[in-house]
Amino acid sequence: MFALDRLRALDALATRGSVAGAAGALHLTPSAVSQQLAKLEREAGAALTEPAGRGLRLTPAGRMLAEHAAEILARVAAARLDLDRLQDQVVGELRVGAIPTSVHALAPATLARLRGAHPDLRVVLADGEAEETLPAVLAGDLDLAVVENWEGLPAPIPPGTSRARLCEDVIDLLLPADHRLAGPGPVALADVDDLDWVADGSATRAQNWLLQTLRAQGLEPRVTCGVRGFGMHVELVAGVGVAALVPRLARPPLPAGVVSATTTPLLRRSIDAVWRTDRDTPAVRAAVATFTAVAAERDADGAQASGPSSRSASKQV
């Protein structure tokens, strides 16, 4: 009775709250969405929207039909998923949003392997924090999000999603090589009370975690550099003489004058893949498995490279 495209337009209007928002979610123009809604009203024989300021809102009939539309679209998605599982073909387009750490450290090898194993799969990759990628997964704009969980500040995993742990990541303390604590052995965080700190950009979970972690050790950190990108954090340790907490997965080769040490307490974060449970497709499963394999191999290579010592350094001689 009702065309699926028109039900999708109504569902998008109900969830996004505006024609412009619905158009963005459906990758259509606002005019195209309005046309779909007008056709649906004619099919329904009832007014589904009414003016609200400069926009539209759903009428009682529109809200009722939108509820049915959500159920119908969910059933169609489930049917599509069952067909995909039956065929078990890793094909089509897979849209992945990932934290910059995983984009730099894991994505190149993961995408290369997926391309080699599944030539009919096209992966579209963009970086973004969990606050950006998780809503996009829920909206259907992304198929998979790779997010980080800081101890005490995990990424909020929305209802209706599934997740898989890709890897654990140790977070090391970076110090100037001539600092008094730059000797052998782990460093107690509480002893680093004479340096300024570099942290992630303002109001991010990474910065909040750093402040929370240091305060738990009795420190009130003086953050003099707030920049995104752990590569820049390493450079600032070398150039300015600040301290930094940098995950190993995100750490580039250390420049001269920088020492890396494990900490007491030992600090960790984890990396997860998140996807909508009703979109657990062969392509999503293949991507999760490949990300996990690449992360495990990288972790093993890092353990072999570091050897028995918990500390690595690059010192100006």
Side-chain angles (χ1 to χ4, degrees), residues 63-85:
R63 290 194 296 271
M64 180 272 293
L65 186 56
E67 292 176 2
H68 287 292
E71 295 175 3
I72 292 168
L73 294 172
R75 293 299 301 168
V76 171
R80 181 72 265 171
L81 180 60
D82 287 342
L83 287 173
D84 287 340
R85 284 174 171 161

Side-chain angles (χ1 to χ4, degrees), residues 152-173:
L153 286 173
I157 305 302
T161 61
S162 300
R163 69 174 172 178
R165 179 63 40 86
L166 300 181
C167 64
E168 301 283 345
D169 193 13
V170 173
I171 302 169
D172 290 320
L173 171 68

Side-chain angles (χ1 to χ4, degrees), residues 252-268:
L254 296 181
V258 178
V259 169
S260 168
T262 56
T263 62
T264 305
L266 184 66
L267 302 176
R268 296 182 181 271

Side-chain angles (χ1 to χ4, degrees), residues 221-236:
R222 301 182 303 272
V223 175
T224 57
C225 300
V227 295
R228 293 196 179 191
F230 290 111
M232 181 57 69
H233 292 195
V234 173
E235 295 298 325
L236 287 168

